[in-house]
Amino acid sequence: MDETPNIRTFVLKPEQEIPFLAGQFVELTVPGFGEAPFTPSSSHFRRETFEMTIMKVGRATGALFSLQPGDVVGARGPFGTPYPLQRFEGKDIYIVGGGVGLAPLRALFLALTHEPDKYGRIFLRYGARTPQDIVYRSLIPEWQKIPKVDLDLSVDVSDEKWMKRVGVVTCLMDDIPCDEKKSIAVVCGPPIMMKFVNQRLVDAGFQAENIYLSMETNMSCGVGQCRHCRLGPYLTCKDGPVLTWAQIKDIENPFV
Amino acid sequence: MSRYLLAKSSVHQWLSKLLARYTVYVPTERDGQTHWHLLDPRDLEETPDRVAPAQRRIRASEPVKSFMFQPRQRVAGFPEPLPLPESAPRLLLGVKNCDLAALRVHDKILGEGEFKDPFYVSLRESTKLVVADCPAPEQSCFCNLLGLTPFAKEGGDAALSVIDGDWIFEVGQTGQELVDTAPELFTRLAGETTETKKRDEERSAAVAALNMTNARPWNPDLPGAIAAKLADDSFWRKHAKTCVECYGCLMGCPTCYCFLLYDQAKEKGLDRTRVWDACYEAAYARVGGGANPRAEFIRRFANRFDCKWNQFKRDHGVYSCTGCGRCFKACMGKIDIRTVLGEL
Ligand SMILES: Cc1cc2nc3c(=O)[nH]c(=O)nc-3n(C[C@H](O)[C@H](O)[C@H](O)COP(=O)(O)OP(=O)(O)OC[C@H]3O[C@@H](n4cnc5c(N)ncnc54)[C@H](O)[C@@H]3O)c2cc1C
Ligand code: SF4
Ligand code: SF4
Ligand code: SF4
Ligand code: FES
């Protein structure tokens, strides 16, 4: 399904179930064009089929967009470390997404709302470039109705029909309606957005070990051998892709 | 551990026996350097003295990883899966201690843990290693700075010292089959002999020579020193000045193990190949869409030092460097890493 002009959600039916958990990723092969890492965006409570929301940016993703329903792709995984949901229990969760970065966050959001009693309130803040660039547009109204969920959106550039906030996503963070000292923050989006959102969270008083950031690095093997994904002392394919601010704050320029 | 003497006059006989059971590689001398050579029965007839002298020289130009972690390896196929690798018995006769240490680095990454690489494991397990002493370390050698000796103290299947043309072996359990290919040619040595005394003298002299060439020890906290310098562009710029980005230092390095997987379409399905990669390559860390955390070469240059002498040491307790000196022997820019590391 087309989410935006260059972002599409693909539904995959694995021959063998891939036992992924929210936050983990899968290496997808587009036959003849290469392999690239993507995070399932659907709930890990349902795995007969799973979804991935993918932005067209280059060779492999470009080829993916020209496939037809029913075409065969390769997948290996799951790889990486899932969100530590146990640590999230009993706490408010403040989720901030930008652009296609909402994809992995959706898997988390669906896992949290599947067992709402375990967690506190769930805040979702999402920013896109324009109203046309918002992913999961048809799902968002449903999400808003879920008890305990508080959702807000912004766009950088609006059109005449846009009723919500205009500005980069940090404009939704002027006042954070949860206890910053105790809550969990989860962020995924383009590097520049992660940098500013993270700064805002730190300034607001979130603890460094409670800020979870999805780090995108170049990956080849996915299993900790090829060393392409190294970020300071971490191999993001094994130790990540989600790392806390406490883990990466001493790394020179982590957001590039 | 048993000790044997193989007399000069029996060496070729033994080698021909070995050839019946193993694919044998030996170092040979060419253009003033040592190179790995696939031993052929004809070598033993035509040039009877080709093998022994090279055993006393330093490591071959080609890194020993090439034998286990091949520069290009088909690792998967679709729809027909690749058959699991099977390798015939091989013998590397004349590995040096720095190369043995380098294999331990590869073992950690490819041979152990949750995702063992079946190609590496198969080639590694089917290969016997005889580690030969280096009685004459060269200017480029600095294994001593990595806490290594120019002879095997442990590991490998057998240790070899060539003394006045005779071959003296220390053989562990796994190396006994090498002696057993022709037991009649070997004399068992008990205790000290004139040969072992001479060997020990040569070994001490080699250690002394290395300590002389590389007299200044490194900063005892090299990892910390690198971490502290990482953002200091002027330091790296000064040392990278003559680099022409040829990647020779990484391809020739026996410990570097970065690789890249790439796919090629076949008529039906695809082949996946693993090739050696180099972190100096501009696109190495580039992500989809073009963002690159190490777009500037200076960052990639520093990254190599961070990787080998800081992160790897912290993660695995050893440096991902064994002092073999291949990187700066290969370097067109004459960048000697001892100078860089020595200034930290
Ligand atoms: C853990 C993780 C999860 C992710 N999840 C998602 C997700 O859910 N949705 C999403 O849209 N994106 C996701 N991404 C990003 C996604 O992986 C990239 O967009 C994708 O890899 C781009 O691939 P491409 O081939 O289309 O891009 P390209 O820009 O063409 O190439 C990407 C990489 O391949 C290399 N490369 C390109 N061409 C060549 C060549 N000819 N030879 C050698 N190397 C080459 C580049 O150096 C670059 O590193 C995720 C990334 C990571 C690390
Ligand atoms: S670095 Fe040491 S072990 Fe390696 S060839 Fe030189 S002397 Fe021998
Ligand atoms: S970095 Fe240089 S000296 Fe160290 S193992 Fe590699 S090639 Fe040898
Ligand atoms: S061998 Fe020398 S010139 Fe070539 S990439 Fe390495 S440091 Fe640069
Ligand atoms: S992707 Fe190969 S080590 Fe992480």
Side-chain angles (χ1 to χ4, degrees):
Chain A
M1 168 181 154
D2 281 328
E3 303 285 352
T4 78
N6 64 350
I7 301 176
R8 188 178 289 175
T9 296
F10 296 83
V11 182
L12 291 97
K13 187 167 183 346
E15 242 169 53
Q16 235 182 338
E17 190 175 292
I18 298 179
F20 72 92
L21 293 170
Q24 287 185 300
F25 68 94
V26 168
E27 284 278 356
L28 199 68
T29 298
V30 192
F33 289 90
E35 200 181 32
F38 302 99
T39 324
S41 59
S42 53
S43 166
H44 63 218
F45 289 101
R46 182 177 52 77
R47 297 189 187 122
E48 318 79 71
T49 61
F50 64 94
E51 292 166 23
M52 303 227 254
T53 304
I54 294 172
M55 181 155 86
K56 185 173 167 177
V57 297
R59 185 176 152 86
T61 50
L64 204 55
F65 271 63
S66 53
L67 294 181
Q68 299 302 314
D71 280 352
V72 177
V73 294
R76 57 187 181 101
F79 300 127
T81 308
Y83 285 108
L85 291 183
Q86 259 180 343
R87 264 205 87 215
F88 293 8
E89 284 178 17
K91 295 180 183 143
D92 286 349
I93 322 282
Y94 190 76
I95 303 172
V96 189
V100 74
L102 191 56
L105 297 174
R106 181 173 78 137
L108 172 70
F109 180 81
L110 294 175
L112 297 174
T113 51
H114 186 83
E115 300 175 304
D117 298 344
K118 283 194 178 171
Y119 313 97
R121 289 169 301 165
I122 297 161
F123 300 90
L124 180 60
R125 300 289 177 259
Y126 176 59
R129 234 162 35 82
T130 73
Q132 279 72 46
D133 292 309
I134 295 175
V135 297
Y136 312 130
R137 229 166 321 164
S138 57
L139 300 173
I140 287 173
E142 301 297 316
W143 293 355
Q144 250 155 345
K145 288 187 215 143
I146 304 175
K148 287 169 95 175
V149 169
D150 173 332
L151 195 151
D152 203 359
L153 308 177
S154 74
V155 294
D156 303 353
V157 185
S158 71
D159 60 14
E160 50 296 352
K161 278 181 275 160
W162 185 248
M163 306 288 285
K164 291 184 179 277
R165 205 76 79 89
V166 178
V168 292
V169 70
T170 38
C171 76
L172 301 174
M173 300 172 70
D174 289 340
D175 112 75
I176 295 177
C178 54
D179 180 353
E180 293 92 345
K181 293 257 166 321
K182 293 201 205 112
S183 303
I184 300 284
V186 188
V187 192
C188 184
I192 184 78
M193 168 265 182
M194 301 256 283
K195 182 174 171 165
F196 286 108
V197 169
N198 179 63
Q199 191 56 53
R200 175 76 193 97
L201 292 167
V202 172
D203 292 344
F206 277 87
Q207 308 291 306
E209 60 276 11
N210 287 343
I211 305 177
Y212 290 83
L213 305 155
S214 293
M215 303 308 292
E216 185 186 348
T217 55
N218 180 309
M219 289 186 184
S220 189
C221 71
V223 296
Q225 291 179 341
C226 76
R227 229 160 163 77
H228 271 268
C229 66
R230 189 171 71 79
L231 180 69
Y234 304 104
L235 294 176
T236 56
C237 69
K238 265 174 65 186
D239 306 314
V242 178
L243 295 167
T244 64
W245 177 238
Q247 287 174 299
I248 62 170
K249 66 180 184 335
D250 294 330
I251 297 171
E252 193 199 349
N253 290 328
F255 305 110
V256 267
Chain B
M1 186 74 72
S2 321
R3 197 175 283 169
Y4 296 95
L5 180 113
L6 177 70
K8 196 190 309 201
S9 53
S10 304
V11 169
H12 281 186
Q13 238 179 312
W14 180 56
L15 292 175
S16 52
K17 291 268 187 165
L18 286 174
L19 279 174
R21 286 194 54 176
Y22 303 92
T23 305
V24 182
Y25 293 89
V26 290
T28 50
E29 197 184 318
R30 215 166 48 234
D31 309 329
Q33 314 243 23
T34 330
H35 296 277
W36 283 108
H37 173 73
L38 172 63
L39 192 66
D40 185 280
R42 274 168 311 182
D43 295 330
L44 301 176
E45 296 155 21
E46 289 164 12
T47 42
D49 246 353
R50 209 159 158 198
V51 179
Q55 291 291 354
R56 287 176 56 89
R57 305 203 40 168
I58 64 162
R59 88 283 176 294
S61 298
E62 303 80 17
V64 74
K65 68 179 176 187
S66 326
F67 289 101
M68 328 279 173
F69 171 66
Q70 297 183 319
R72 174 177 295 271
Q73 166 90 56
R74 204 178 138 218
V75 292
F78 183 81
E80 315 85 42
L82 271 196
L84 268 185
E86 255 179 69
S87 349
R90 299 188 299 179
L91 171 63
L92 299 187
L93 179 55
V95 169
K96 298 293 161 169
N97 201 31
C98 53
D99 277 346
L100 188 66
L103 283 178
R104 285 198 284 267
V105 167
H106 277 75
D107 286 347
K108 280 181 200 298
I109 304 303
L110 300 170
E112 294 164 14
E114 193 185 348
F115 297 99
K116 289 188 189 60
D117 170 28
F119 302 94
Y120 177 81
V121 170
S122 162
L123 290 166
R124 178 82 163 90
E125 284 178 352
S126 58
T127 308
K128 293 269 176 218
L129 301 168
V130 173
V131 189
D133 290 7
C134 302
E138 295 184 8
Q139 284 297 315
S140 58
C141 294
F142 63 101
C143 49
N144 64 317
L145 290 180
L146 282 310
L148 297 168
T149 46
F151 52 88
K153 272 190 176 156
E154 54 178 358
D157 300 290
L160 164 65
S161 319
V162 176
I163 305 289
D164 296 331
D166 295 329
W167 290 27
I168 299 171
F169 290 92
E170 304 257 6
V171 179
Q173 222 171 22
T174 52
Q176 190 61 38
E177 64 175 66
L178 299 173
V179 172
D180 292 346
T181 50
E184 68 283 359
L185 301 177
F186 289 82
T187 316
R188 198 156 178 161
L189 298 178
E192 286 266 295
T193 63
T194 30
E195 290 87 358
T196 60
K197 261 176 87 182
K198 180 130 192 236
R199 177 197 70 178
D200 293 345
E201 281 163 23
E202 281 198 348
R203 285 180 169 185
S204 313
V207 170
L210 281 163
N211 288 339
M212 188 107 98
T213 316
N214 310 289
R216 205 168 104 204
W218 282 338
N219 186 327
D221 179 21
L222 201 52
I226 289 173
K229 270 272 192 294
L230 209 53
D232 179 354
D233 280 7
S234 63
F235 177 80
W236 303 109
R237 197 159 280 135
K238 176 176 108 186
H239 290 291
K241 217 164 39 204
T242 53
C243 175
V244 296
E245 298 181 51
C246 68
Y247 321 142
C249 50
L250 307 172
M251 293 295 152
C253 174
T255 57
C256 278
Y257 59 82
C258 282
F259 62 80
L260 181 76
L261 299 170
Y262 75 92
D263 290 356
Q264 277 170 305
K266 285 188 304 191
E267 203 174 322
K268 252 178 127 197
L270 60 87
D271 265 342
R272 177 159 298 158
T273 306
R274 182 186 68 195
V275 288
W276 290 355
D277 203 356
C279 60
Y280 279 7
E281 160 75 45
Y284 179 91
R286 203 181 76 204
V287 298
N292 190 343
R294 295 193 288 273
E296 250 194 302
F297 179 69
I298 200 79
R299 297 263 65 81
R300 302 198 291 279
F301 187 81
N303 174 70
R304 164 169 168 240
F305 289 85
D306 187 34
C307 176
K308 298 174 81 69
W309 293 278
N310 176 17
Q311 306 297 350
F312 199 88
K313 169 83 166 161
R314 289 176 191 219
D315 287 352
H316 300 284
V318 291
Y319 293 110
S320 164
C321 170
T322 66
C324 74
R326 285 184 181 91
C327 51
F328 50 86
K329 287 278 272 195
C331 182
M332 316 216 181
K334 299 209 172 355
I335 300 170
D336 186 334
I337 54 165
R338 286 178 296 196
T339 316
V340 184
L341 295 165
E343 282 183 27
L344 282 158

